[in-house]
Amino acid sequence: MLDVLIVGAGPNGLMLACELALAGVHPVVLERHPAPTGEPRANGLVGQVVRLLDRRGLYTRLSGDSAPPAPQPAFTFGAFPLDLTMLDENPHYVLGVPQAQLEAGLAARAAELGVEVRRGHEVVDLHQGPDAVEVVLADGTRLASRFVVGADGGRSVVRRLAGIDFPGVTNDRSVSRTATVTVPASALDPATGGLLVPGYGVVPPFLHTRTPRGLIAWAPFPGRPAILSTTEWPDVPAGDETPMSLAELRASVARVLGADVPFSASEGAGLLRRLTGGNTRIAARYRDGRVLLVGDAAHVHPAIGGPGLNLGLQDAANLGWKLAATVRGWAPAGLLDTYETERRPVAERVVMSTQAQSALIGPGDDITGLRGLFAELLRKPEVTGHIAALMSGADVAYPADPADPLAGRCAPDVVVHGDGAPVRLAELTRTARPLLLDSTGAYARVAAGWRDRVDVVTGPLEGTAATALLVRPDCFVAWSAGDAGTLRAALTGHFGGPR
């Protein structure tokens, strides 16, 4: 019998597989497609997930940059530009890699860790018992596993077969059109790389630009085809039964801007896509016995602001160590259930953010008036800081001891000064093991009974006022320096009893 069967070899399923393998559990991943589709989806990662990838040693692989990730000076919220240079602490990170490249990087890492990915295997049924889940494949093969995780997207077969409801809202009000295009050099602003549109002005790059008639976005990615997209709210939405054409996008651009933009098809096989409406849904529960959901199988929402991978990959990091601890037998009672209690509120907050942005980009003069007020608010650093923390996920705080100001929050970028060269936290967390950072050496003795599960590093700490930190495998703080009794309680509550 398998320990864990993951259904879906997208970014979330592969990330979870890597997390489990690092924790000593080797899952099997099933994917119905015989090979990666290469279908253009997300164009990059936004938020604190970039720091998470750095803390797993994946940031340099994906970015090609040996330096640690740095916060971005600007971003966008609801088609408003966010000036993040006004913030004393900027939490917003961006990694501009397309989803296909991310999947390839995670697949390579999974292979290094010994994860078995079986492609061309479609799940058609499952039966859950008290000790295992039996999965039935399209070819009649039956597999038994102690746990099954659905990482198979918004139309999750695992979620449906497990009988988990997916309440929420579906609307068909908007029509989005997207294509990879080539634009003549004469139509580009040499200073910004934006689109020069006679009769309108400049459409800036990598931002959403809203007019009373719709939304337009221009993304001239270096080294790959540029993407042009629009969103409109027509009285009668366009049907999806006819293929999208470049002429259709050209007409949409003209309606949104009130002016024409010259462009042609990009070389080679490009993206040409129309999407009508969207879904906002959160699964009724993330766990049903031995079946769990992760990523889009657990929640879907508008893509505006790019929060999807930030949310899904951190779901995987949260679930991974808890599921591994359960499989290996040292999880304290109720640990696996904290996956939902911690991650559901984060999904609800992302839904709130995307719904608010969807309202702010809507058509009409009344929305224009609302945007005027919102623009005034965004000139205040405290408002921009609040929005940036929401967009990046830096405001996530899991339930923890209220007397401990760091517990439940993402660990700061600490540097440990030991006997050798200074070591970044990101270098210490690549094994995904629990970690006690102790600047005094006194707390290490308290943790001696957990040394089979918890690594201890001693030395002066730079980047935090705490004298010691207990860091969970998902890089959230379980405890910051108190007395020996509170450390023992945190160790036991998160990682089970001592040896």
Side-chain angles (χ1 to χ4, degrees):
M1 178 168 33
L2 302 172
D3 283 327
V4 179
L5 192 62
I6 299 171
V7 181
N12 300 318
L14 291 170
M15 183 72 178
L16 177 61
C18 291
E19 293 293 294
L20 289 167
L22 286 169
V25 174
H26 291 278
V28 169
V29 182
L30 302 181
E31 170 56 53
R32 66 185 180 90
H33 293 292
T37 65
E39 180 183 347
R41 291 186 179 180
N43 292 304
L45 296 101
V46 176
Q48 295 291 294
V49 69
V50 178
R51 296 172 73 204
L52 174 64
L53 293 178
D54 180 40
R55 291 172 174 184
R56 290 294 186 263
L58 294 169
Y59 175 78
T60 297
R61 289 185 177 209
L62 293 167
S63 67
D65 189 350
S66 60
Q72 294 295 298
F75 201 63
T76 180
F77 177 84
F80 286 98
L82 290 180
D83 178 11
L84 304 178
T85 62
M86 70 171 70
L87 304 181
D88 293 332
E89 294 186 12
N90 179 0
H92 208 73
Y93 296 80
V94 174
L95 177 56
V97 296
Q99 183 165 324
Q101 182 181 338
L102 172 65
E103 287 186 14
L106 289 172
R109 179 57 174 153
E112 292 172 4
L113 294 170
V115 173
E116 182 182 358
V117 179
R118 302 178 185 176
R119 296 188 178 273
H121 288 66
E122 182 178 2
V123 174
V124 295
D125 204 358
L126 65 79
H127 308 282
Q128 186 168 183
D131 301 313
V133 183
E134 184 183 62
V135 169
V136 183
L137 305 185
D139 64 1
T141 301
R142 294 175 179 265
L143 299 172
S145 180
R146 293 176 63 187
F147 291 93
V148 170
V149 181
D152 49 343
R155 297 178 179 177
S156 170
V157 171
V158 172
R159 185 187 63 236
R160 176 177 58 81
L161 293 174
I164 299 174
D165 289 338
F166 204 33
V169 176
T170 297
N171 74 76
D172 60 357
R173 295 192 302 270
S174 65
V175 177
S176 298
R177 299 173 175 89
T178 304
T180 48
V181 300
T182 299
V183 173
S186 59
L188 296 176
D189 178 19
T192 65
L195 287 176
L196 281 173
V197 183
Y200 175 80
V202 176
V203 176
F206 301 110
L207 294 174
H208 291 102
T209 297
R210 185 252 180 202
T211 76
R213 299 170 297 280
L215 197 71
I216 187 169
W218 163 244
F221 294 104
R224 53 191 172 109
I227 293 179
L228 183 64
S229 66
T230 63
T231 301
E232 297 179 86
W233 292 264
D235 294 333
V236 180
D240 291 333
E241 59 276 0
T242 58
M244 223 273 280
S245 66
L246 218 58
E248 181 180 331
L249 176 62
R250 186 174 288 111
S252 177
V253 169
R255 288 191 297 270
V256 171
L257 294 180
D260 292 320
V261 173
F263 60 83
S264 57
S266 60
E267 295 183 6
L271 172 64
L272 200 60
R273 181 174 65 202
R274 179 202 307 119
L275 295 176
T276 300
N279 288 290
T280 298
R281 298 178 180 276
I282 299 179
R285 54 193 182 280
Y286 284 19
R287 178 188 181 190
D288 184 88
R290 294 181 174 273
V291 178
L292 298 110
L293 305 176
V294 70
D296 289 354
H299 40 67
V300 294
H301 47 76
I304 187 166
L309 287 172
N310 189 22
L311 183 59
L313 292 176
Q314 295 205 73
D315 282 352
N318 185 290
L319 175 60
W321 70 275
K322 296 171 180 178
L323 185 53
T326 303
V327 168
R328 298 187 65 187
W330 57 258
L335 179 68
L336 192 54
D337 288 328
T338 66
Y339 165 58
E340 176 167 357
T341 58
E342 290 185 346
R343 294 305 296 170
R344 173 180 286 277
V346 182
E348 291 170 346
R349 197 153 173 76
V350 167
V351 164
M352 179 268 287
S353 169
T354 56
Q355 288 178 325
Q357 292 182 76
S358 297
L360 285 167
I361 64 174
D365 293 338
D366 52 346
I367 300 298
T368 301
L370 174 63
R371 291 179 61 83
L373 173 61
F374 209 83
E376 292 182 11
L377 295 174
L378 286 175
R379 298 190 191 107
K380 299 178 180 293
E382 61 272 26
V383 175
T384 293
H386 186 92
I387 295 294
L390 170 66
M391 293 278 287
S392 67
D395 60 353
V396 172
Y398 298 145
D401 181 358
D404 189 335
L406 295 180
R409 296 189 174 274
C410 188
D413 287 323
V414 173
V415 176
V416 182
H417 296 269
D419 295 333
V423 181
R424 297 171 57 228
L425 177 66
E427 299 172 74
L428 298 171
T429 55
R430 292 178 182 177
T431 60
R433 282 174 57 85
L435 185 65
L436 176 63
L437 305 178
D438 181 7
S439 66
T440 68
Y443 295 105
R445 295 191 294 272
V446 179
W450 286 266
R451 290 299 292 269
D452 61 320
R453 282 153 280 165
V454 180
D455 291 339
V456 178
V457 178
T458 59
L461 304 180
E462 176 189 347
T464 180
T467 56
L469 291 173
L470 180 62
V471 182
R472 305 180 346 174
D474 58 356
C475 298
F476 277 74
V477 176
W479 169 91
S480 66
D483 57 30
T486 58
L487 174 56
R488 288 192 189 93
L491 286 162
T492 303
H494 288 83
F495 313 121
R499 249 181 333 209

